[in-house]
């Protein structure tokens, strides 16, 4: 009889009612449980538990797992009951007027705040730890808000634990006008503020005095981030600004100086930076002491959010846009412009140029150089590091073309070769892509911090950053060192040279960054530089920058169901369609990756119009972060890291790449998956070779096409060495490409 009862109990339990997905996640987090801990207890995969909590693609447990999961949630619900709803059904706005229930706003007026808002406020100002909370949609709550959140029983002026009261409403707000004509500011975490401002100058005043927007500084000597306001088209119309820019204004990057709104700002003693009132306008008053008065505007309809990096973010509803930008701000930093500008600003925010000195004899502190930073003054590059047209090259003859012996040329790979007969008998071309390749290249890299020093006939030092004139044409890839006292014989004709972007073997002396020359030594060959520009003042300037962006990337991918501890097959499955799981977070991932590449690109920014002529300085040269040598070193190391993996793979498997484009490598294989050619043994990858995973430096599946597709494309363009890595993702090749 007991067996019958057990069977009945199991049958009932198999249909156990489960709470909504948001409640499941709340209960788990309330008890401090991780996804891994729950998965281990229920004997399922981590991704399975993540799917049970997913808002976008919920999967329901079945059988004994459902019974156990329901039991766990019931126990947690007893310990952590759901918070009660706000008691006041008709709160008032800042203006004192009743707020319609359907508007569901939180105002910034001087009223008391319910106890359940304390946790809500806490999640808005901890940049890293709160990101997961911000990544989860929450229903907006109707309640009163106070100038400062407080705990039950504490005075109204007491801030919530861990909360900076200056920025308790988060780093940014999306300003919009609803159907009733009310101006609202959508903040992170579902918070909505009523905006009483009737003009742009008063909006700036309100932001600085009442909105409590901003972000704490990222390093001790740094500065707090200015509040960011994102203006929708309806907000632009309300404040007298055009919804879109004319073609002339778009090319100029700003609206005319005589615009009525700019005149309003001037009458209110507000100023604009030199770039004027454009898609990323900065409105400020000169600082008085340590107090800053600055607000930044982001205008999506003026193309502030580049679709190449932010996707369709500019078309999102205000609350969803606030969420996406808020996650990016909390994990990276408050956007300061394009992703490239923000990437560069992040370097400075983590390593400010100056810091406060120790008190002098009068007890006063002074500004002094911050060790480990690039300083506050720009430095000239070495002549070999300078791009064409730079002032240090003004004495060169007009139209002079510099060759490898005069110019440092460290760029990413763009290489391909014809397939061998054996490769043509295989069925597929499989592309793998290195995650955050350039970020991984920056990790642990020693770079110059000051001006270069010229030396002749130097002894090469792999730890000394600089540019070296050396002949590497003798490096033979048919026999290379692949370990301590271990050599490998390879088919060098099927490998690209590690020293040139096109993979061609050097023909004589050329300038190289330190990582390239060090790799020649690593392969077992002697190097004898004849000249160098070295930087004796150096350090690992980019480490903090890398760590911040790596953590942002991994945290966001984990929210999308892809974590760093997955088995290879599970990882490939999780990466297939992860963007559809939460499109807003997928936008954040794209922006983070663009921040890496764009930030490094800004280190060698070229003239952008400005009436520039060769030999004259351009605006970017006035920045201490204009450092083409650092960019060259990162790209060199990234290319070398990739080549090292290719050599290890070839030595172990006899397989060689067909094409390489930047951080994407294409191999011919019999199967369609990377697992069909990557040498995993008992679940372990080849040491020093390619490894599947989400961490920077590991690889993911980029795309698979047939060998017949590759041969047909090359035949169509009559280009046996057409770079198939460029098209491997979706196989689309247009006639406009014409083999280029």
């Amino acid at each position: 009889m007991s067996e019958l009862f057990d069977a009945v109990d199991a049958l009932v339990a198999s249909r156990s009612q489960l709470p909504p997905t948001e409640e499941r996640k709340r209960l788990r987090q309330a008890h401090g449980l991780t996804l891994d801990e729950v998965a281990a207890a229920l004997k399922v995969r981590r991704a399975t538990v993540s799917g049970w909590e997913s808002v976008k693609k919920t999967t329901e447990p079945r059988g004994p797992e459902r019974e156990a999961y329901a039991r766990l949630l019931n126990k947690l619900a007893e310990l952590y009951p759901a918070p009660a709803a706000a008691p006041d059904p008709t709160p008032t706005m800042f203006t004192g007027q009743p707020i319609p229930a359907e508007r569901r706003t939180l105002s910034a007026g001087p009223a008391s705040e319910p106890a359940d808002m304390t946790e809500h406020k806490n999640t808005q100002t901890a940049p890293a730890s709160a990101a997961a909370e911000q990544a989860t949609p929450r229903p907006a709550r109707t309640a009163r808000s106070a100038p400062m959140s407080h705990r039950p029983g504490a005075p109204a002026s007491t801030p919530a634990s861990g909360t900076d009261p200056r920025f308790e409403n988060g780093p940014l707000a999306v300003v919009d006008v609803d159907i009733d004509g009310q101006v609202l500011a959508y903040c992170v975490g579902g918070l909505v503020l009523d905006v009483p401002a009737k003009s742009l100058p008063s909006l700036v005043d309100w932001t600085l005095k009442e909105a409590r927007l901003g972000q704490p500084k990222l390093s001790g000597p740094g500065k707090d981030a200015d509040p960011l306001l994102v203006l929708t088209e309806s907000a632009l119309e309300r404040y007298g600004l055009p919804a879109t820019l004319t073609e002339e204004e778009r090319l100029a990057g700003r609206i005319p100086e005589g615009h009525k709104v700019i005149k309003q700002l001037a009458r209110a003693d507000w100023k604009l930076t030199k770039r004027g009132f454009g898609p990323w306008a900065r409105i400020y008053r000169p600082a008085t002491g340590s107090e800053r008065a600055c607000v930044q505007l982001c205008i999506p309809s003026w193309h502030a959010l580049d679709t190449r990096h932010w996707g369709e973010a500019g078309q999102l509803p205000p609350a969803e846009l606030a969420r996406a930008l808020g996650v990016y701000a909390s994990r990276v930093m408050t956007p300061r412009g394009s992703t490239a500008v923000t990437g560069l600003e992040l370097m400075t925010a983590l390593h400010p140029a100056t810091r406060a000195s120790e008190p002098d004899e009068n007890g006063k502190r002074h500004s002094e150089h911050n060790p480990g930073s690039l300083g506050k003054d720009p430095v000239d590059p070495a002549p070999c590091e300078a791009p064409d047209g730079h002032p240090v090259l003004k004495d060169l003859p007009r139209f002079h073309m510099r060759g490898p012996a005069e110019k440092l040329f460290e760029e990413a790979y763009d290489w391909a070769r014809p397939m061998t007969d054996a490769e043509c008998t295989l069925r597929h071309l499989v592309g793998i892509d290195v995650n955050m390749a350039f970020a991984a290249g920056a990790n642990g890299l020693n770079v110059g911090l000051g001006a270069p020093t010229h030396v002749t006939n130097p002894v090469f030092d792999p730890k000394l950053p600089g540019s070296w004139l050396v002949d590497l044409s003798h490096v033979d890839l048919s026999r290379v060192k692949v370990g301590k006292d271990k050599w490998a014989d390879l088919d060098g004709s099927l490998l690209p040279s590690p020293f040139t972007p096109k993979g061609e073997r050097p023909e004589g002396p050329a300038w190289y960054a330190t990582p390239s020359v060090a790799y020649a030594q690593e392969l077992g060959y002697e190097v004898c530089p004849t000249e160098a520009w070295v930087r004796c003042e150096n350090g690992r300037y980019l480490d903090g920058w890398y760590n911040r962006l790596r953590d942002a990337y991994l945290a966001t991918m984990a929210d999308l169901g892809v974590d760093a501890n997955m088995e290879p097959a599970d990882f490939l499955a999780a990466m297939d369609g992860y963007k559809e799981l939460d499109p807003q977070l997928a936008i954040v991932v794209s922006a983070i990756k663009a921040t890496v590449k764009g930030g490094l690109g800004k280190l060698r920014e070229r003239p952008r119009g400005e009436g520039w002529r060769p030999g004259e300085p351009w605006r970017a040269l006035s920045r201490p972060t204009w450092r083409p040598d650092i960019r060259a070193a990162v790209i060199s190391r990234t290319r070398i890291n990739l080549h090292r993996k290719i050599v290890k793979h070839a030595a172990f498997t006899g397989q060689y790449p067909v094409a390489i484009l930047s951080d994407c490598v294409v191999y011919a294989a019999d199967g369609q998956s990377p697992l069909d050619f990557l040498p995993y043994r008992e679940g372990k990858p080849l040491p020093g070779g390619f490894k599947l995973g989400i961490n920077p430096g590991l690889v993911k599946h980029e795309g698979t096409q047939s060998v017949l597709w590759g041969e047909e494309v090359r035949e169509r363009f009559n280009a046996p060495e057409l770079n198939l890595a460029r098209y491997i993702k979706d196989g689309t090749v247009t006639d406009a490409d014409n083999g280029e």
Side-chain angles (χ1 to χ4, degrees), residues 4 27 60 78 91 96 117 119 136 156 189 275 279 417 487 503 508 517 581-582 588 602 635:
L4 291 176
L27 290 171
E60 293 296 327
E78 294 175 4
M117 284 300 296
E119 177 183 315
T136 306
R275 61 184 174 184
R417 62 169 176 83
W487 291 75
V517 186
L581 190 65
D582 190 326
V588 177
K602 277 284 186 179
I635 293 177

PDB file of all heavy atoms in Angstrom, residues 4 27 60 78 91 96 117 119 136 156 189 275 279 417 487 503 508 517 581-582 588 602 635:
ATOM      1  N   LEU A   4       1.882   2.330  -3.380  1.00  0.00           N
ATOM      2  CA  LEU A   4       0.827   3.026  -4.103  1.00  0.00           C
ATOM      3  C   LEU A   4       0.738   4.489  -3.689  1.00  0.00           C
ATOM      4  O   LEU A   4       0.569   5.387  -4.517  1.00  0.00           O
ATOM      5  CB  LEU A   4      -0.520   2.330  -3.860  1.00  0.00           C
ATOM      6  CG  LEU A   4      -0.686   0.943  -4.488  1.00  0.00           C
ATOM      7  CD1 LEU A   4      -2.017   0.347  -4.083  1.00  0.00           C
ATOM      8  CD2 LEU A   4      -0.592   1.032  -6.008  1.00  0.00           C
ATOM      9  N   LEU A  27      13.639  34.188  -4.983  1.00  0.00           N
ATOM     10  CA  LEU A  27      13.780  33.266  -3.859  1.00  0.00           C
ATOM     11  C   LEU A  27      15.192  32.693  -3.792  1.00  0.00           C
ATOM     12  O   LEU A  27      15.779  32.584  -2.714  1.00  0.00           O
ATOM     13  CB  LEU A  27      12.750  32.138  -3.988  1.00  0.00           C
ATOM     14  CG  LEU A  27      11.287  32.548  -3.773  1.00  0.00           C
ATOM     15  CD1 LEU A  27      10.353  31.402  -4.146  1.00  0.00           C
ATOM     16  CD2 LEU A  27      11.048  32.985  -2.333  1.00  0.00           C
ATOM     17  N   GLU A  60      10.311  24.597 -18.472  1.00  0.00           N
ATOM     18  CA  GLU A  60       9.725  24.077 -17.242  1.00  0.00           C
ATOM     19  C   GLU A  60      10.326  22.715 -16.893  1.00  0.00           C
ATOM     20  O   GLU A  60      10.509  21.867 -17.772  1.00  0.00           O
ATOM     21  CB  GLU A  60       8.212  23.949 -17.392  1.00  0.00           C
ATOM     22  CG  GLU A  60       7.488  25.281 -17.514  1.00  0.00           C
ATOM     23  CD  GLU A  60       7.619  26.133 -16.260  1.00  0.00           C
ATOM     24  OE1 GLU A  60       7.687  25.564 -15.161  1.00  0.00           O
ATOM     25  OE2 GLU A  60       7.669  27.364 -16.386  1.00  0.00           O
ATOM     26  N   GLU A  78       8.663  30.033   2.321  1.00  0.00           N
ATOM     27  CA  GLU A  78       8.354  30.132   3.752  1.00  0.00           C
ATOM     28  C   GLU A  78       9.350  31.038   4.463  1.00  0.00           C
ATOM     29  O   GLU A  78       8.989  31.776   5.381  1.00  0.00           O
ATOM     30  CB  GLU A  78       8.374  28.733   4.377  1.00  0.00           C
ATOM     31  CG  GLU A  78       7.278  27.810   3.867  1.00  0.00           C
ATOM     32  CD  GLU A  78       7.425  26.396   4.421  1.00  0.00           C
ATOM     33  OE1 GLU A  78       8.335  26.185   5.260  1.00  0.00           O
ATOM     34  OE2 GLU A  78       6.638  25.510   4.030  1.00  0.00           O
ATOM     35  N   PRO A  91      -0.273  57.943  -4.953  1.00  0.00           N
ATOM     36  CA  PRO A  91       0.809  58.833  -4.533  1.00  0.00           C
ATOM     37  C   PRO A  91       0.786  60.133  -5.327  1.00  0.00           C
ATOM     38  O   PRO A  91       0.123  60.230  -6.354  1.00  0.00           O
ATOM     39  CB  PRO A  91       2.059  58.012  -4.850  1.00  0.00           C
ATOM     40  CG  PRO A  91       1.635  57.108  -5.960  1.00  0.00           C
ATOM     41  CD  PRO A  91       0.205  56.783  -5.687  1.00  0.00           C
ATOM     42  N   GLY A  96       2.858  67.777  -6.646  1.00  0.00           N
ATOM     43  CA  GLY A  96       1.757  67.698  -5.702  1.00  0.00           C
ATOM     44  C   GLY A  96       0.471  67.208  -6.310  1.00  0.00           C
ATOM     45  O   GLY A  96      -0.513  67.025  -5.612  1.00  0.00           O
ATOM     46  N   MET A 117      11.442  49.988  -0.576  1.00  0.00           N
ATOM     47  CA  MET A 117      12.271  50.663  -1.558  1.00  0.00           C
ATOM     48  C   MET A 117      13.743  50.635  -1.185  1.00  0.00           C
ATOM     49  O   MET A 117      14.596  50.957  -1.993  1.00  0.00           O
ATOM     50  CB  MET A 117      11.835  52.131  -1.709  1.00  0.00           C
ATOM     51  CG  MET A 117      10.562  52.304  -2.501  1.00  0.00           C
ATOM     52  SD  MET A 117      10.737  51.654  -4.162  1.00  0.00           S
ATOM     53  CE  MET A 117      11.995  52.750  -4.783  1.00  0.00           C
ATOM     54  N   GLU A 119      15.892  48.159  -0.587  1.00  0.00           N
ATOM     55  CA  GLU A 119      16.684  47.252  -1.405  1.00  0.00           C
ATOM     56  C   GLU A 119      16.755  47.755  -2.840  1.00  0.00           C
ATOM     57  O   GLU A 119      17.784  47.664  -3.490  1.00  0.00           O
ATOM     58  CB  GLU A 119      16.067  45.861  -1.364  1.00  0.00           C
ATOM     59  CG  GLU A 119      16.792  44.856  -2.265  1.00  0.00           C
ATOM     60  CD  GLU A 119      16.124  43.504  -2.260  1.00  0.00           C
ATOM     61  OE1 GLU A 119      15.778  43.030  -1.167  1.00  0.00           O
ATOM     62  OE2 GLU A 119      15.951  42.918  -3.332  1.00  0.00           O
ATOM     63  N   THR A 136      17.723  42.172 -14.781  1.00  0.00           N
ATOM     64  CA  THR A 136      16.462  41.456 -14.663  1.00  0.00           C
ATOM     65  C   THR A 136      15.307  42.445 -14.648  1.00  0.00           C
ATOM     66  O   THR A 136      15.244  43.327 -13.803  1.00  0.00           O
ATOM     67  CB  THR A 136      16.439  40.647 -13.353  1.00  0.00           C
ATOM     68  OG1 THR A 136      17.585  39.813 -13.314  1.00  0.00           O
ATOM     69  CG2 THR A 136      15.174  39.820 -13.260  1.00  0.00           C
ATOM     70  N   ALA A 156      14.751  60.156   8.077  1.00  0.00           N
ATOM     71  CA  ALA A 156      14.579  60.288   6.629  1.00  0.00           C
ATOM     72  C   ALA A 156      15.861  60.686   5.936  1.00  0.00           C
ATOM     73  O   ALA A 156      16.030  60.458   4.754  1.00  0.00           O
ATOM     74  CB  ALA A 156      13.479  61.305   6.326  1.00  0.00           C
ATOM     75  N   GLY A 189      16.551  50.128 -13.061  1.00  0.00           N
ATOM     76  CA  GLY A 189      15.794  49.409 -12.055  1.00  0.00           C
ATOM     77  C   GLY A 189      14.305  49.647 -12.087  1.00  0.00           C
ATOM     78  O   GLY A 189      13.606  49.304 -11.141  1.00  0.00           O
ATOM     79  N   ARG A 275      33.001  70.823 -28.940  1.00  0.00           N
ATOM     80  CA  ARG A 275      32.299  70.081 -29.977  1.00  0.00           C
ATOM     81  C   ARG A 275      30.862  70.562 -30.170  1.00  0.00           C
ATOM     82  O   ARG A 275      30.144  70.062 -31.036  1.00  0.00           O
ATOM     83  CB  ARG A 275      32.324  68.579 -29.689  1.00  0.00           C
ATOM     84  CG  ARG A 275      31.656  68.147 -28.403  1.00  0.00           C
ATOM     85  CD  ARG A 275      31.839  66.640 -28.211  1.00  0.00           C
ATOM     86  NE  ARG A 275      31.345  66.184 -26.922  1.00  0.00           N
ATOM     87  CZ  ARG A 275      31.466  64.931 -26.477  1.00  0.00           C
ATOM     88  NH1 ARG A 275      32.083  64.040 -27.225  1.00  0.00           N
ATOM     89  NH2 ARG A 275      30.998  64.573 -25.307  1.00  0.00           N
ATOM     90  N   PRO A 279      25.196  65.169 -30.981  1.00  0.00           N
ATOM     91  CA  PRO A 279      24.581  63.954 -30.429  1.00  0.00           C
ATOM     92  C   PRO A 279      25.021  63.638 -29.006  1.00  0.00           C
ATOM     93  O   PRO A 279      24.259  63.024 -28.253  1.00  0.00           O
ATOM     94  CB  PRO A 279      25.043  62.868 -31.407  1.00  0.00           C
ATOM     95  CG  PRO A 279      25.326  63.606 -32.679  1.00  0.00           C
ATOM     96  CD  PRO A 279      25.851  64.933 -32.269  1.00  0.00           C
ATOM     97  N   ARG A 417      44.952  31.685 -48.236  1.00  0.00           N
ATOM     98  CA  ARG A 417      45.737  30.911 -49.206  1.00  0.00           C
ATOM     99  C   ARG A 417      44.801  29.966 -49.956  1.00  0.00           C
ATOM    100  O   ARG A 417      43.695  29.657 -49.494  1.00  0.00           O
ATOM    101  CB  ARG A 417      46.832  30.117 -48.499  1.00  0.00           C
ATOM    102  CG  ARG A 417      46.292  29.088 -47.504  1.00  0.00           C
ATOM    103  CD  ARG A 417      47.381  28.139 -47.025  1.00  0.00           C
ATOM    104  NE  ARG A 417      46.869  27.223 -46.012  1.00  0.00           N
ATOM    105  CZ  ARG A 417      46.198  26.095 -46.272  1.00  0.00           C
ATOM    106  NH1 ARG A 417      45.944  25.758 -47.540  1.00  0.00           N
ATOM    107  NH2 ARG A 417      45.782  25.312 -45.287  1.00  0.00           N
ATOM    108  N   TRP A 487      61.306  20.977 -30.692  1.00  0.00           N
ATOM    109  CA  TRP A 487      61.135  21.578 -32.008  1.00  0.00           C
ATOM    110  C   TRP A 487      60.098  20.806 -32.795  1.00  0.00           C
ATOM    111  O   TRP A 487      59.879  19.617 -32.563  1.00  0.00           O
ATOM    112  CB  TRP A 487      62.462  21.588 -32.774  1.00  0.00           C
ATOM    113  CG  TRP A 487      63.470  22.543 -32.182  1.00  0.00           C
ATOM    114  CD1 TRP A 487      64.202  22.365 -31.045  1.00  0.00           C
ATOM    115  CD2 TRP A 487      63.817  23.820 -32.692  1.00  0.00           C
ATOM    116  NE1 TRP A 487      64.992  23.454 -30.807  1.00  0.00           N
ATOM    117  CE2 TRP A 487      64.789  24.369 -31.811  1.00  0.00           C
ATOM    118  CE3 TRP A 487      63.432  24.559 -33.809  1.00  0.00           C
ATOM    119  CZ2 TRP A 487      65.362  25.606 -32.013  1.00  0.00           C
ATOM    120  CZ3 TRP A 487      64.004  25.803 -34.017  1.00  0.00           C
ATOM    121  CH2 TRP A 487      64.952  26.320 -33.122  1.00  0.00           C
ATOM    122  N   GLY A 503      50.626  38.246 -43.817  1.00  0.00           N
ATOM    123  CA  GLY A 503      51.206  36.919 -43.694  1.00  0.00           C
ATOM    124  C   GLY A 503      52.386  36.670 -44.605  1.00  0.00           C
ATOM    125  O   GLY A 503      52.840  35.525 -44.738  1.00  0.00           O
ATOM    126  N   GLY A 508      63.488  41.920 -45.341  1.00  0.00           N
ATOM    127  CA  GLY A 508      64.661  42.616 -44.831  1.00  0.00           C
ATOM    128  C   GLY A 508      64.341  43.303 -43.529  1.00  0.00           C
ATOM    129  O   GLY A 508      63.329  43.008 -42.880  1.00  0.00           O
ATOM    130  N   VAL A 517      59.094  40.881 -31.894  1.00  0.00           N
ATOM    131  CA  VAL A 517      60.506  40.477 -31.822  1.00  0.00           C
ATOM    132  C   VAL A 517      60.686  39.384 -30.773  1.00  0.00           C
ATOM    133  O   VAL A 517      61.444  38.425 -30.979  1.00  0.00           O
ATOM    134  CB  VAL A 517      61.393  41.697 -31.511  1.00  0.00           C
ATOM    135  CG1 VAL A 517      62.872  41.317 -31.591  1.00  0.00           C
ATOM    136  CG2 VAL A 517      61.106  42.844 -32.476  1.00  0.00           C
ATOM    137  N   LEU A 581      17.692  35.356 -26.363  1.00  0.00           N
ATOM    138  CA  LEU A 581      17.267  35.140 -24.984  1.00  0.00           C
ATOM    139  C   LEU A 581      16.912  36.453 -24.302  1.00  0.00           C
ATOM    140  O   LEU A 581      15.958  36.547 -23.540  1.00  0.00           O
ATOM    141  CB  LEU A 581      18.373  34.415 -24.206  1.00  0.00           C
ATOM    142  CG  LEU A 581      18.012  33.902 -22.816  1.00  0.00           C
ATOM    143  CD1 LEU A 581      16.954  32.815 -22.923  1.00  0.00           C
ATOM    144  CD2 LEU A 581      19.248  33.368 -22.106  1.00  0.00           C
ATOM    145  N   ASP A 582      17.688  37.501 -24.569  1.00  0.00           N
ATOM    146  CA  ASP A 582      17.427  38.835 -24.020  1.00  0.00           C
ATOM    147  C   ASP A 582      18.070  39.848 -24.960  1.00  0.00           C
ATOM    148  O   ASP A 582      19.253  40.157 -24.825  1.00  0.00           O
ATOM    149  CB  ASP A 582      18.004  38.964 -22.607  1.00  0.00           C
ATOM    150  CG  ASP A 582      17.546  40.238 -21.911  1.00  0.00           C
ATOM    151  OD1 ASP A 582      17.376  41.260 -22.593  1.00  0.00           O
ATOM    152  OD2 ASP A 582      17.357  40.217 -20.677  1.00  0.00           O
ATOM    153  N   VAL A 588      24.085  45.117 -25.103  1.00  0.00           N
ATOM    154  CA  VAL A 588      25.155  45.490 -24.181  1.00  0.00           C
ATOM    155  C   VAL A 588      26.439  44.725 -24.506  1.00  0.00           C
ATOM    156  O   VAL A 588      27.533  45.291 -24.486  1.00  0.00           O
ATOM    157  CB  VAL A 588      24.731  45.231 -22.724  1.00  0.00           C
ATOM    158  CG1 VAL A 588      25.873  45.540 -21.767  1.00  0.00           C
ATOM    159  CG2 VAL A 588      23.506  46.068 -22.370  1.00  0.00           C
ATOM    160  N   LYS A 602      41.267  54.577 -30.814  1.00  0.00           N
ATOM    161  CA  LYS A 602      41.413  55.996 -30.460  1.00  0.00           C
ATOM    162  C   LYS A 602      42.846  56.345 -30.067  1.00  0.00           C
ATOM    163  O   LYS A 602      43.224  57.522 -30.085  1.00  0.00           O
ATOM    164  CB  LYS A 602      40.472  56.334 -29.301  1.00  0.00           C
ATOM    165  CG  LYS A 602      39.044  56.635 -29.711  1.00  0.00           C
ATOM    166  CD  LYS A 602      38.940  58.027 -30.305  1.00  0.00           C
ATOM    167  CE  LYS A 602      37.505  58.418 -30.586  1.00  0.00           C
ATOM    168  NZ  LYS A 602      37.406  59.782 -31.149  1.00  0.00           N
ATOM    169  N   ILE A 635      48.095  45.260 -30.713  1.00  0.00           N
ATOM    170  CA  ILE A 635      47.790  44.526 -31.942  1.00  0.00           C
ATOM    171  C   ILE A 635      48.860  43.480 -32.213  1.00  0.00           C
ATOM    172  O   ILE A 635      48.555  42.340 -32.607  1.00  0.00           O
ATOM    173  CB  ILE A 635      47.655  45.505 -33.122  1.00  0.00           C
ATOM    174  CG1 ILE A 635      46.423  46.395 -32.924  1.00  0.00           C
ATOM    175  CG2 ILE A 635      47.564  44.744 -34.437  1.00  0.00           C
ATOM    176  CD1 ILE A 635      46.246  47.444 -33.996  1.00  0.00           C
TER     177      ILE A 635
END
